[in-house]
Every structure is written in structure tokens, then in C-alpha cells.
């Protein structure tokens, strides 16, 4: 297909979606294997994106079974067929295990059913088994068609016309057991289910001083067990990839009794259902319970989570992931040629990538092989960077060495929260304190932001003081928006008095601005010549230097859950449009991403100026929509997107213009977006990124063995964030140039690229730059110099 490219000032070539056409193409979409939350969001994106580019899209019901049986199992989908499914778990087109497709006869029937409808593009959403099946089918396609022609089932013209089959896969699996992808569709939602249960169990366990053994899914992969253990601070975790060393029974009992001695009223042990020991013998939750009861005599209960983990509504992360993947899959199918190997669209860090399907499948099978052969170190490495980092972080935070075994550095490190509270801040503080102590530093907590720093509200904080902090929302240390400008003398005095050698700041835009002020004051106050690191933590996600901030995922989930409820109310009343105001200051992240995850019709944001004509066209669009079977509307508005087009103004305009066609309601979400327990993502992200920041601080302090060294270079005062696929430390002096201080946002924001996706899925024509989509990448490319940002 001829792709026209337009040149941009930078001289690089740009590729736009408008240049790709799906006219005359037919795409079949199926879900196969075990179901996962978010599959519906992927199906919706494939259907709508396919229709948008002019292709026909077919549902293939009941997975490969439906493809073999044909008939009413393969049905053309339209725009409205995928309405209202974004918030539904599981898959609306069904999934089944299929024996027939494993035989050549079965695949012949399937090929015949596809050819009769002209389908030569397949989008398969499933696990490694489903994707392997699709690849075999693709390889056999031409020989299957020839055989069908010989038997007179299709004519020779069809053999020429439908000569090759394109396959693109998306991985839907709650276990996150597919190599090459950071996150599979459904994993984040399964973690939500697990953490909801853990949080609930913790309150009852504390009341009775009980030990709980929780069994989570993962027959061959311990990802869910590992991340939930990291996110709830479990005492012990059992994984298939990393069995406990010989004699673990005794070590575990010692650890549990030590924790009890430290006044901890409960113990949590998490077990993956496929947990084994070093001899590949299963370790069951019942066996662990018996051990604890006989050795320690603790009151112990077992809870098996089972299929609860597969159920429920998909999280915001899974909806956005699946929508991005679905759109990417259709682009990959449009660009495919007969030579293109089957590919998987996946996430690397925060970037969508295409990987060769069979290489990923091969690696996934290699993990199992390594486990069978008891090469457990290899198994962990093959799982990827993300898994390995999680495992190492868990080990560092869960097990404290005796004090006499930790070499002391005689350095004091302060941790401070600045700005508005964000969920996940406490997880980051806990992680920093424990990693700092394990590195031999003394850790100090600063209470109530820069204000508290100036007043000397500073206390040493120990390993046990931060126990149970991961699941707490808000900020336990207390936080204020006050900048340090007026208090520089007093803060410098406190740094001197407490002999502080480094500072870790966890907070939002004020924290970033405050760090710049302290950096600029180095010439007047030598006390500020120490390493300083900022971890961005704000629901608004408006700190320069990172794609994602601690707390923004929790805020986004609140927005999306509320939108789901409001949509339900609007569907019941019919012909109703809701206007919802989100927080975020001038940053449109919550409104834009919330709109994408909740299936909004429009999202007004400051970064994309709009005028009365845009509002008018949105009203007309909704008027047209009310003529269809989808008689409801959802419009999001960022709180500061426009000085004059306020929420009230937009509400009144819509009410007047929509008279007789639809009525309007408005809802301001307010501070509920800041509260609540942190999501599993924010707990895990806060924990991991904070551990990485402490590692950086420790390295810096090692450069200065004596007390004399002054840190004056720009690279000793940094923001730690995620950029595309890497974890990066960026000096604030460099980031200053990229900041719009008046509106407190970065000048360039990655998520604006996803704006057209939201518009396309809401049935608007728009221009979409797909230059980032493209070449297949080899799977093993993660060994470069940069640090891979596995989320």
C-alpha cells in the first residue's frame, strides 16, 4: 500500500493514519483461552478503529471453536455492537478451549469459513497457546486454501484473492506470564481484586492477631503473587520461578516470630498456586498453614482467591492499555505484507511496540523449561527486567539484617512530602526508609513539608516505624504546598543541626519548584550542596521529567469508577448528557485519560484550546448520537481548561442547545480524586521508584567518603522519572527549560499523542500521527545502557 509521507520541520518523516486505508479489507477479532478483564476494551478498539479506516470487522464468537463451527458464530460488527462494554469484565464474544482447531480438519473448516466472508486479517486476544495456534494457521493458510480448492469447497479465484493471512496478537492474561511484554491485559485488574481482599483481610487479622495464608492464581508464573506481596508488604511469598532455599521452613517461622516480637499483630503469607520447592515438589497453602500451626502455634487461616481474580470491572490501566493495543493492532494489520511475520502488540515501559510473535512464545516456553530443569536463576532472568526488579526489591524490603551485619555509612538522609497528598506517597516513604537503613544510613522523617523542615519537625525513623504503610492513602508524614523561598535560612540551619547529607523529596509541582529554589540557593547556603532527588507524586501528573507520577493511577481509577456509575444512571434515564469536572490544575491528564478509559464523547483540556465552534460541533455530535441506540453522553472537563468556558457555562450551553433532544446534568468530582487507598500500580510503582532513588543517593554519598565534599554540579539535584521505556534521572536545571511555570505543566506531554485515539473511539474524524508505530523489534533488545522502565 502506498503511504504518502509529509515532511515536518525536523526533517523526519511523519506517517498519518489518514494515509492508511482499510477499504476492501475484512478483519476478524476473537478472544481465546482464559478470559481477562480489559478484553472487551480491546475488542471495542479493534472494531471501532477498523470501521474508522473503512474495513469490515467481524466478531468471531467462542474463540477458535466459533471459527471452526462458522455459521452464526462469525458476525459482522457495527459501531454500536461494542457500546457499553468498556466497563464489563470478561469477554462479550466468549472464549472456549477448542480441540478441533488443533487438527488439520478443524483448521480446514476454519479457513473455509473465513474465506467465504473474505476475512484475511485476524486479531487474536489470548495467551501464548492461542497465539501459537494463530501462527500455525497463518503458516498453513495457502496450503489449506489449495486443499479446499481441490475439494471444490472454494474456487481458484478465491485462492488467488485471499492468498495470505495476516495475524496480530494481543496478550490477554491475568497472570502476566508472556515474555516480551511488561503488562498483559487483565493483570492490573487482577491485582486490584487481590489487593481489595488483602486490605479487607488485614483489618480482621489485626483484630485477632492472626496469620493469613493467601493463595493467588499463577500456575506457572508468580507475577501476581510477587507484586501483591510487594504491594501489601507480605511477610513471605512463594513463587514457582524462585523457590525458597533448603531449610525454608525454619527461616520462615523465625521471620514470622521476629515480626510478632516487633509488635506486628498479623502475618500475611502469599502463595502462587504453582509454588514449588527446589526439588519441584509443590508447596501448598495447607502445608504452610500446618507448618505455622505446629511450629509456632499461631491462629492461622487459609484464603484461596480463585476465580474472583478474573472477575469484576477492568481497572483504568487495563482499559487504556487495551484501547491503545487495539488501535495499534489495526494499524499493524493495515501495514502488513505477505512477508510480515505474525506480531504481538505490547507495552515496553510506557511505549507501545510490536514484537515477533513466535520469539515471544519461544521465550515464554523457555521459562517453563528452565523451571522444569531446576535452572531457577535463568527462569527469573527470562521473565524479564520487570520481574527481576520486583523480586530484588521485595527481598530488600521484607528482610532486615541484624544491625551488627549492616556496615554503617554515618550518613543521614531526610525524607519529606511536599504539595498535595497523593496515594502511594506512604509506600514510597516506607521503601526509602527501609532501603536507606539496609544501605547503612540513618533515616530522618521531615513532617509537614518545607514548613515543618524550617520549624525543625524532624525525627529519626526506623525499620519498624513504616510497617503497614503501603496500603495507607494520603500522606502520613503530612504535606503542605508552601515553597521554601522564605525559609531558606531556617531550613539550612536545620540541615546543619541534624547533619543531613542528602534529601529525598516526594511530591508534586511545589516539590519540583522548591527543589529548583534550593538548588539556586547553593551559592548563598553551602548546606544545600548535598544530593537531592525528587520523586514526582501528584494525581495531576504535571511534574516535568516523568511520564507517570505516583498517585495519578489512583486518581484516574476514581475518575473512571465515578464515570461508570454516572453512565449507568444516564443509560437508565435515556437521552441524558453528563458534564463531569476533574481536578488536575492546568494539566489535562486526568480528563483526557479518564475520557479514554470511560468512553467519553469529549474531554476539554487546557493543552488543546477550544472555542464556541468546537462546543457547537460537540453538541451536534451528541444530537446525532441520540438518534442511535446509545442514548447517553459523557463529557469531561478539566477544572482549569478555560477561564470563561466554565463547567456551568458548558452545562448551560448544552442544556439550551440540546432542548427537546437531551437533557443535561453536571458533576464536580473534587477532592475524592486525592483520597482513597492507593491502587496496586501506585503501591508497586512508589515502592520500586523510591528504592531506585535511594540507590542513587547511596551511590552519590559513596563518592564523598569524607564529610568535606560539596555537591555543586547540576547532576546532584535530579528528578527521577519514567520516560518512554527508561528510568531516568534528569537535573532540574535541564528540566527548567522544559517547564511552563505559569501553568505548572511541562511544555511537552506524551499523553497528548493519545488524544486522537479518544476522539476516534468516540466517532470523530481526526488526524492521527502514527509515526511511532512501525517496525518489528527483536525481543531481547533490553540489554542496552539505559535502565528499562519495567512498570
Amino acid at each position: 500500500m502506498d503511504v504518502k509521507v509529509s515532511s515536518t520541520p525536523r526533517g523526519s518523516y511523519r506517517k498519518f493514519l489518514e494515509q492508511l486505508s482499510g477499504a476492501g479489507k475484512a478483519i476478524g477479532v476473537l478472544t481465546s483461552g482464559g478470559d481477562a478483564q480489559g478484553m472487551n476494551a480491546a475488542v471495542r478498539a479493534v472494531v471501532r478503529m477498523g470501521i474508522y479506516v473503512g474495513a469490515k470487522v467481524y466478531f468471531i464468537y467462542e474463540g477458535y471453536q466459533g471459527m471452526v463451527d462458522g455459521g452464526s458464530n462469525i458476525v459482522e460488527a457495527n459501531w454500536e455492537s461494542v457500546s457499553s462494554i468498556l466497563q464489563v469484565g470478561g469477554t462479550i464474544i466468549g472464549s472456549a478451549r477448542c480441540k478441533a482447531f488443533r487438527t488439520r480438519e478443524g483448521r480446514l473448516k476454519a479457513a473455509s469459513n473465513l474465506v467465504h466472508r473474505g476475512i484475511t486479517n485476524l486479531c487474536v486476544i489470548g495467551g501464548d497457546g492461542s497465539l501459537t495456534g494463530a501462527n500455525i494457521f497463518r503458516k498453513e493458510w495457502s496450503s489449506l486454501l489449495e486443499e479446499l480448492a481441490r475439494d471444490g469447497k472454494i474456487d481458484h479465484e478465491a485462492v488467488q484473492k485471499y492468498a495470505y493471512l495476516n495475524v496480530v496478537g494481543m496478550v490477554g492474561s491475568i497472570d502476566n506470564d508472556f515474555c516480551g511484554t511488561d503488562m498483559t491485559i487483565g493483570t492490573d485488574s487482577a491485582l486490584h481484586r487481590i489487593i481489595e481482599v488483602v486490605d479487607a483481610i488485614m483489618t480482621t487479622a489485626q483484630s485477632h492477631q492472626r496469620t493469613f495464608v493467601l493463595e493467588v492464581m499463577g500456575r506457572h508464573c508468580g507475577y501476581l503473587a510477587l507484586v501483591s506481596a510487594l504491594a501489601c508488604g507480605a511477610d513471605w511469598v512463594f513463587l514457582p520461578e524462585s523457590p525458597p532455599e533448603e531449610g525454608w521452613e525454619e527461616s520462615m517461622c523465625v521471620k514470622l516470630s521476629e515480626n510478632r516480637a516487633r509488635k506486628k499483630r498479623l502475618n500475611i503469607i502469599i502463595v502462587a498456586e504453582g509454588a514449588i520447592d527446589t526439588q519441584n515438589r509443590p508447596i501448598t497453602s495447607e502445608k504452610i498453614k500446618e507448618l505455622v500451626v505446629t511450629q509456632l502455634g499461631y491462629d492461622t487461616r487459609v484464603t484461596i482467591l480463585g476465580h474472583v481474580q478474573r472477575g469484576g470491572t477492568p481497572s483504568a490501566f487495563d482499559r487504556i492499555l487495551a484501547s491503545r493495543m487495539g488501535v495499534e493492532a489495526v494499524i499493524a494489520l493495515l501495514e502488513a505484507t505477505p512477508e510480515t511475520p505474525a506480531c504481538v502488540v505490547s507495552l515496553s515501559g510506557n511505549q507501545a511496540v510490536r514484537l515477533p510473535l513466535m520469539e515471544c512464545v519461544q521465550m515464554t516456553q523457555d521459562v517453563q523449561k528452565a523451571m522444569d530443569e531446576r535452572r531457577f536463576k535463568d527462569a527469573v532472568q527470562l521473565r524479564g527486567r520487570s520481574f527481576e526488579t520486583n523480586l530484588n526489591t521485595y527481598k530488600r524490603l521484607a528482610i532486615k539484617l541484624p544491625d551488627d551485619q549492616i556496615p554503617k555509612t554515618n550518613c543521614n538522609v531526610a525524607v519529606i512530602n511536599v504539595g498535595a497528598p497523593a496515594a502511594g506517597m506512604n509506600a514510597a516513604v516506607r521503601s526509602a526508609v527501609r532501603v536507606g537503613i539496609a544501605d547503612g544510613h540513618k533515616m530522618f522523617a521531615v513532617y509537614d513539608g518545607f514548613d515543618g523542615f524550617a520549624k525543625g519537625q524532624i525525627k529519626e525513623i526506623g525499620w519498624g516505624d513504616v510497617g503497614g504503610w503501603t496500603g495507607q492513602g494520603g500522606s502520613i508524614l503530612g504535606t503542605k504546598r508552601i515553597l521554601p523561598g522564605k525559609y531558606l535560612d531556617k531550613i539550612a540551619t536545620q540541615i546543619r543541626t541534624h547533619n543531613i547529607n542528602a534529601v529525598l523529596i516526594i511530591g508534586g509541582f511545589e516539590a519540583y519548584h522548591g527543589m529548583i529554589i534550593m538548588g539556586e540557593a547553593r551559592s548563598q547556603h553551602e548546606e544545600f550542596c548535598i544530593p537531592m532527588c525528587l520523586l514526582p507524586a501528584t494525581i495531576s501528573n504535571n511534574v516535568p521529567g516523568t511520564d507517570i507520577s505516583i498517585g495519578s493511577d489512583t486518581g484516574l481509577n476514581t475518575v473512571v469508577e465515578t464515570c461508570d456509575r454516572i453512565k449507568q444512571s444516564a443509560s437508565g434515564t435515556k437521552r441524558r448528557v453528563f458534564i463531569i469536572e476533574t481536578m488536575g490544575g492546568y494539566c489535562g491528564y486526568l480528563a483526557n485519560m479518564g475520557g479514554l478509559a470511560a468512553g467519553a464523547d469529549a474531554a476539554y483540556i487546557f493543552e488543546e484550546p477550544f472555542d464556541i465552534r468546537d462546543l457547537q460541533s460537540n453538541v451536534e455530535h451528541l444530537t446525532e448520537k441520540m438518534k442511535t441506540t446509545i442514548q447517553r453522553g459523557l463529557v469531561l472537563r478539566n477544572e482549569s481548561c478555560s477561564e470563561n468556558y466554565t463547567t456551568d457555562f458548558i452545562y448551560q450551553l448544552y442544556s439550551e442547545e440540546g432542548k427537546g433532544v437531551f437533557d443535561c446534568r453536571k458533576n464536580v468530582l473534587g477532592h475524592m480524586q486525592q483520597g482513597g487507598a492507593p491502587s496496586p500500580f501506585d503501591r508497586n510503582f512508589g515502592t520500586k521508584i523510591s528504592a531506585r532513588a535511594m540507590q542513587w543517593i547511596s551511590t552519590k554519598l559513596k563518592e564523598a567518603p569524607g564529610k568535606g565534599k560539596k555537591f555543586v554540579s547540576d547532576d546532584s539535584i535530579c528528578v527521577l522519572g519514567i520516560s518512554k521505556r527508561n528510568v531516568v534521572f534528569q537535573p532540574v536545571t535541564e528540566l527548567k527549560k522544559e517547564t511552563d511555570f505559569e501553568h505548572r505543566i511541562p511544555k511537552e506531554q506524551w499523553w497528548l499523542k493519545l488524544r486522537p485515539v479518544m476522539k476516534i473511539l468516540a466517532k470523530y474524524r481526526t488526524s492521527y500521527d502514527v509515526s511511532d508505530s512501525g517496525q518489528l523489534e527483536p525481543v531481547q533488545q533490553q540489554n542496552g545502557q539505559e535502565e528499562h522502565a519495567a512498570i
Side-chain angles (χ1 to χ4, degrees), residues 676-723:
S679 66
F681 181 93
D682 278 332
R683 296 180 196 199
N684 185 14
F685 180 53
T687 300
K688 279 188 354 193
I689 203 125
S690 181
R692 183 64 192 90
M694 281 309 298
Q695 217 180 324
W696 177 84
I697 285 176
S698 295
T699 311
K700 286 276 179 221
L701 292 173
K702 272 192 200 116
E703 292 170 11
K707 285 273 171 279
K709 162 127 195 214
K710 298 269 178 289
F711 289 88
V712 286
S713 61
D714 290 345
D715 67 355
S716 60
I717 185 159
C718 285
V719 173
L720 169 56
I722 281 186
S723 171

Side-chain angles (χ1 to χ4, degrees), residues 620-689:
E620 284 162 11
H621 190 266
L622 282 164
T623 310
E624 281 306 303
K625 187 176 172 180
M626 295 299 161
K627 294 177 186 165
T628 69
T629 54
I630 320 169
Q631 299 185 340
R632 56 167 165 66
L634 186 67
V635 175
L636 273 71
R637 176 189 176 276
N638 158 270
E639 57 183 355
S640 306
C641 65
S642 162
E643 200 180 339
N644 296 314
Y645 297 137
T646 59
T647 304
D648 286 334
F649 176 89
I650 293 176
Y651 162 70
Q652 285 162 344
L653 178 84
Y654 272 58
S655 300
E656 183 59 37
E657 294 293 316
K659 256 191 193 151
V661 185
F662 57 80
D663 66 351
C664 256
R665 293 287 182 276
K666 64 174 188 232
N667 205 326
V668 177
L669 297 185
H671 281 76
M672 61 186 279
Q673 295 163 83
Q674 264 178 19
S679 66
F681 181 93
D682 278 332
R683 296 180 196 199
N684 185 14
F685 180 53
T687 300
K688 279 188 354 193
I689 203 125

Side-chain angles (χ1 to χ4, degrees), residues 246-423:
E246 290 297 324
W248 60 268
E249 294 88 346
E250 197 182 332
S251 329
M252 182 180 81
C253 291
V254 169
K255 169 89 195 297
L256 296 181
S257 54
E258 274 177 7
N259 280 351
R260 282 291 168 100
R262 289 199 190 110
K263 302 274 192 293
K264 191 174 175 188
R265 290 179 61 90
L266 77 159
N267 304 110
I268 298 248
I269 299 166
I270 294 184
V271 193
E273 59 179 324
I276 47 175
D277 64 14
T278 46
Q279 301 307 308
N280 281 16
R281 293 183 299 246
I283 298 178
T284 62
S285 33
E286 278 305 324
K287 180 179 171 183
I288 297 164
K289 176 188 168 176
E290 279 166 30
L291 184 74
V292 176
V293 172
T294 50
Q295 297 282 319
L296 298 169
Y298 292 166
D299 184 356
T300 306
R301 298 282 194 270
V302 172
T303 301
I304 296 173
L305 265 66
H307 281 75
V308 166
Q309 297 161 81
R310 283 193 190 281
T313 176
S315 65
F317 182 93
D318 272 332
R319 298 183 198 191
I320 293 165
L321 172 67
S323 301
R324 283 174 74 179
M325 301 294 112
V327 165
E328 185 69 27
V330 172
I331 297 170
L333 285 170
L334 294 182
E335 293 184 340
T337 65
E339 288 73 49
T340 317
C343 76
V344 177
V345 286
S346 137
L347 192 67
S348 171
N350 186 28
Q351 202 171 23
V353 290
R354 295 182 200 170
L355 303 166
L357 186 143
M358 283 326 286
E359 276 182 43
C360 294
V361 168
Q362 189 53 54
M363 253 176 86
T364 306
Q365 289 166 355
D366 288 347
V367 178
Q368 192 52 48
K369 195 169 165 227
M371 276 152 57
D372 294 342
E373 293 169 6
R374 309 215 297 255
R375 293 183 286 114
F376 295 110
K377 267 212 166 77
D378 296 349
V380 169
Q381 278 183 326
L382 284 164
R383 275 273 176 250
R385 290 264 179 100
S386 161
F387 193 87
E388 224 175 330
T389 319
N390 280 327
L391 187 57
N392 295 335
T393 309
Y394 173 76
K395 285 177 179 166
R396 293 204 70 180
L397 297 176
I399 298 157
K400 180 181 188 288
L401 287 170
D403 285 341
D404 53 8
Q405 287 182 30
I406 302 173
K408 297 285 173 279
T409 58
N410 297 323
C411 290
N412 298 341
V413 179
V415 182
I416 178 171
N417 289 170
V418 177

